[in-house]
Structures are given as C-alpha cells and as structure tokens.
Amino acid sequence: MSKYNIDDTIAALATPVGEASISVIRVSGPEAFQITEAIFVSKAPSKISELESHTVHLGEVRDQNGRGIDQVLVTVFRAPNSYTGEDVVEISCHGGYAITRRILECVYRAGARNAEPGEFTKRAFLSGKLDLTQAEAVVDLIRSKSEQSLQVALNQLGGELSRKFRALREELMKMYAHMEGYLDFPEDDIEVYTDEEFRGRFIRLKAELGQLLAGFRRGALLREGAAAVLVGRPNVGKSSLFNALLARERALVSEFPGTTRDHLEEAIEVGGIYIRLIDTAGLSHDSGNPLDRIGMERTRENIGSAELILFVVDGSEALTDEDRKIFAEIPQEKRILVVINKTDLPSRLDVSKLKELSRRKAVLRASSRTGDGIRQLEAEMVDSLLEGRVSVEGEQITRLRHKTALETALAAITQAEAAFYRKESLEIVILDIKTAVDQLRELIGEIYSEDLLDVVFSEFCIGK
Ligand SMILES: Nc1nc2c(ncn2[C@@H]2O[C@H](COP(=O)(O)OP(=O)(O)OP(=O)(O)O)[C@@H](O)[C@H]2O)c(=O)[nH]1
Ligand SMILES: [Mg+2]
C-alpha cells in the first residue's frame, strides 16, 4: 500500500495508553462520520454526518451486538476545518486499557484502519495544513522538556522558520528566473541583474545561510538537551553536588570513598535548558577492586558522550596526583567546568596549582552542604552549554535535516558564485542555483520523496 494513500479512514488512540480520567480516540478520513455513526448512539436523535462542525455530543458507544461499552463525548470536525484537513471525529471516553481497546476494536470493525505513527500529521501536511518544517515542530512541541525548547518549537510551529526558508527560496528563484530569462532570450533587451546586483545577492544569501547554520548547535541543544557529567576522585562530593543540583537526596552519600559504584542519571531544567545530569563512580587509578574498575569504565564512557564535564575537587584538601590523572583523562576539547567543593570547610587547596592544571577552564566554588555557589554553578553550566547566547529570538534550525540541506544549498551557491565570476556559461551557474532552490523547497516540503516523509514522520507517536 502506498504511503500516500489518503483515501481510507484512519483511527488511533490520541492520548497515552493506560489509566487516565479520559482518553481520546481520533478518527480521520472520508468515512469518519459513517464509521462513528455505526458505533455511536447519540442522546439527541441526529446523525453524525448532519451535525455541525466543531460541536460536541453526548452518547454511548455500542458494540456489534448493541451492548453499551462506554458513555462518551464525540467532537465533530468537518473537512477542511480540522487538524488533518479531513472529516475528523474525536471520541472522548473513560481512560483505561480495556475501554479504549474495546472502543478502538469497534472503530476498526466499522471500517477504519489503524493509523501509523504520525499519520494524522502527515495527512495535515499532505492536505497543506502544515508545511514540513511545521510538522517537525509538532514533534518538538510534544517532546519539549524545557522552557526554551518549547519556545523554539512554538516559533517553528507558528511558521517562523518556514517563512525564513521561503524567503530564501524566493530570493534564489528570482536569481534563477533572471538567469533563465537571459538564457532563453539572449538577444532581447530583457532586464537582467547587473553583475553588481548578482554579486550583492550572492553575498547576502551566503551570509543568511551561514547565520542559520551557525545557530544549529544551539538549536539542537535546546531541542535535545545536553548531558552533564560529574567527574572526580572518590569522596570529593560528586554525589552531594548531584543532590544539591537536583534539590533532593537522590544519590547515596557517605564519608567512605567509593560510595557511588554505578552512574546515576536524573533530568534537571536549568535556565530553560533540559540537562541530563550524571553522577559517576569516583575515578581511582590504583584500585585493585574489579568493581571499581567496571565503575570507572562506565565513568569514562560517560565522559566520552557528555557535552559538559563538571570536574570536582575537594577544597578542604590539597590537590592530589589522582586529581591530576583524572583531569588528564578528560578530552580537552570538551566543555569543562572545574568545581571546588566543600568551601564551607577551611581551604587547603592551592588554587593557583589548580588553575595551572586546568589551564583556561572556568573555576567555580561551591558547597553542596550549605548550598553556597550552587546557583552560580547552574548559571555557568547554562552559559557554557549555550556559549553565552541565551536568546531564542530569531529563526532557529534544530535538526540535522535542516543543517544538511542548508549546507548543501550553501555549497551550491558558493559554487555558482565562483562559476559566475569565472564567467562560465550561465547554464552551468543555473544548475547550482537550481540545486540550492530544491534544497530549500525540500526543507518546507514543497518537494518530497516517500523516504523523506518516512524519516520525518517516523519520529511521531501513534495518534499524532
Ligand atoms: N563539609 C562538607 N562536606 C561535604 C560536602 N560535599 C560532600 N561532603 C561530604 O563528603 C563526603 C563524600 O561525599 P560524596 O558526595 O559521597 O562524595 P563522592 O564524590 O560522590 O564520592 P564517591 O561516590 O565515593 O566517588 C560525605 O561525607 C559528604 O557529606 C561539602 O560541600 N561540605
Ligand atoms: Mg558518589
């Protein structure tokens, strides 16, 4: 069956599976009204297909033997004024495994097909309700775990990024048209940009694409969050800091070195960013204990995949060789914050030696016992992850798909520009411009392949 098939009617649970006060089953397609009529008996003696759009009706769902299953509300949306652009019925029933399963069975028996993940949104896209960038924002909105990622998703859903892509496409199409006009009628005195104009347009386009690309890392960070890992020798207070940042006693803390044997992960939201905070087993290079070695192996893996390392030292003790060895293990290209913990105790740490060791990394002081310096640490974590750029204003690309397409477009424009200056035939230049145009059209989904839609919509959950 073709993935483009939108002739049939689909149905799925739109709310999470499990116990809830209500669940919603969504039915969309040309038969949505007839299918609902077959299983629903309204209190009022009217047919679903005759009901006004955007109205809610009380009634009962009955199985094929006429036995009542649940009292429900159905909401009717008439095409094209619905999420998918098709006729849609939403059945709000009691939440629960068995009830929703039985109602869905009735809906399927009456002729609906089980919707694939994201199929409702795919239909919204195919019927022109949303473009592809906005469809992606729907997933981001649902998945948002922090204020900032939510804001970026809302901006995208509102069409901010799409408008930017469209404007760039428009600009490129103009260049294309001018070049094509010249190619088609070279003798005519048709108006074509001067070389100067072309030069200016190339420069502007490259700058705008470059700017969008530069924002990718931050956009991806806002969308996906980041992993921050606490690293240091045993007993410096990593687990205590972990708890202080979480604001609850999650990790076991004790005065015995080697308390944490396995890593622990918890999510926090700091400065609007979603951070996966990871506590690790203290690294100790001369431990003969095999359990320690396994724990340390895990710690190394965590270091490898983290975006931010919090290197923790104990301020109430002098810097040790072990501290040095551990620091040396952290790849220097990583973002690293050095945290001097236990500042409530008398200081025995030579800060200049620590700075020498950590070179230009930021050094912070904190006490997980009193909470001093914890807010500052949070702020530094955010700054370090965002590199100081905290604003979510402006268009923000968030996905690898956007990045790859814009990179291809930028390369094509750069190539077109070079060919233009070498005074190569316009036929060559125009091919590159066409490549760039197509990349932008694909971004908003003006042109698409089945594969592309598969990739975009496979991220969705069932019922969306
Ligand atoms: N005075 C003081 N003691 C602290 C502070 N942070 C941690 N401690 C104490 O230091 C000891 C070790 O703390 P943990 O958080 O278990 O240290 P850790 O780095 O997780 O140790 P491992 O799991 O063994 O690697 C405990 O007795 C804590 O109470 C602090 O800021 N001030
Ligand atoms: Mg610990």
Side-chain angles (χ1 to χ4, degrees), residues 284-334:
S284 143
H285 286 81
D286 39 47
S287 166
N289 186 332
L291 260 183
D292 280 348
R293 258 182 284 132
I294 298 169
M296 283 172 51
E297 215 27 68
R298 292 243 167 117
T299 302
R300 291 195 182 100
E301 284 167 20
N302 284 315
I303 292 176
S305 57
E307 273 89 6
L308 176 66
I309 315 285
L310 304 177
F311 174 65
V312 186
V313 294
D314 185 337
S316 69
E317 292 176 6
L319 209 61
T320 67
D321 279 347
E322 194 59 48
D323 288 322
R324 292 196 172 82
K325 278 188 200 161
I326 294 166
F327 192 81
E329 279 208 29
I330 305 172
Q332 291 304 297
E333 68 277 11
K334 293 265 175 195

Side-chain angles (χ1 to χ4, degrees), residues 396-413:
Q396 183 78 61
I397 62 164
T398 49
R399 289 166 180 272
L400 207 53
R401 184 178 87 84
H402 304 162
K403 179 171 175 264
T404 318
L406 291 180
E407 277 171 349
T408 311
L410 181 57
I413 292 167

